[in-house]
Amino acid sequence: MSYDRDAVPPLPGLRLLPWESESGKPCFLSADGAGGALSRLADEVEAEQLCDGADVLKGAVAVLDDGKAGEHAVRRALRATTQAFGNVLRVADSRGARLPVAAESGHEADEDERELRTEPT
């Protein structure tokens, strides 16, 4: 099953783990940030998933660049790419949820921050 970020609400104080339960549900860890064994294992799995994603991307590009690649090869590449992309999204959501939230303060933004906010898109 692929990661569905809309089905996984952010839960304050819980880390989204890079795997699912046997029933396909997201797994969470309540951690104090001290880096216990399960946190280290999750970090290792996330690192492997990111490396796998980079490898899958290279393979997908190779298939797309091969004018002789058939439908089966394209479907396999797309299936692997969507799985890897789901893993990368899960890692990004998990890591993003653990970033410290900047407290609203009354300090003036420095010049670089103001420029970033005012540049047209």
Side-chain angles (χ1 to χ4, degrees):
M1 169 138 281
S2 186
Y3 175 62
D4 179 5
R5 71 188 330 188
D6 293 331
V8 181
L11 299 171
L14 296 180
R15 176 182 179 171
L16 175 63
L17 294 172
W19 54 77
E20 297 174 337
S21 69
E22 289 181 12
S23 62
K25 294 184 179 186
C27 295
F28 294 91
L29 173 65
S30 176
D32 61 3
L38 194 53
S39 288
R40 288 191 303 275
L41 175 62
D43 291 341
E44 291 171 15
V45 170
E46 286 180 352
E48 288 174 17
Q49 288 175 332
L50 294 174
C51 287
D52 290 347
D55 290 341
V56 167
L57 178 61
K58 288 177 189 174
V61 168
V63 168
L64 290 174
D65 288 344
D66 182 359
K68 296 179 183 179
E71 180 183 347
H72 180 69
V74 173
R75 285 183 175 278
R76 267 193 4 218
L78 182 58
R79 187 171 310 280
T81 302
T82 57
Q83 181 65 44
F85 186 65
N87 289 340
V88 170
L89 280 177
R90 180 189 301 268
V91 170
D93 285 343
S94 177
R95 291 182 180 183
R98 289 180 278 142
L99 290 175
V101 177
E104 289 294 322
S105 66
H107 81 282
E108 281 284 319
D110 66 20
E111 192 63 32
D112 291 338
E113 288 176 342
R114 271 185 246 136
E115 286 178 19
L116 288 174
R117 280 185 269 172
T118 58
E119 286 183 28
T121 55

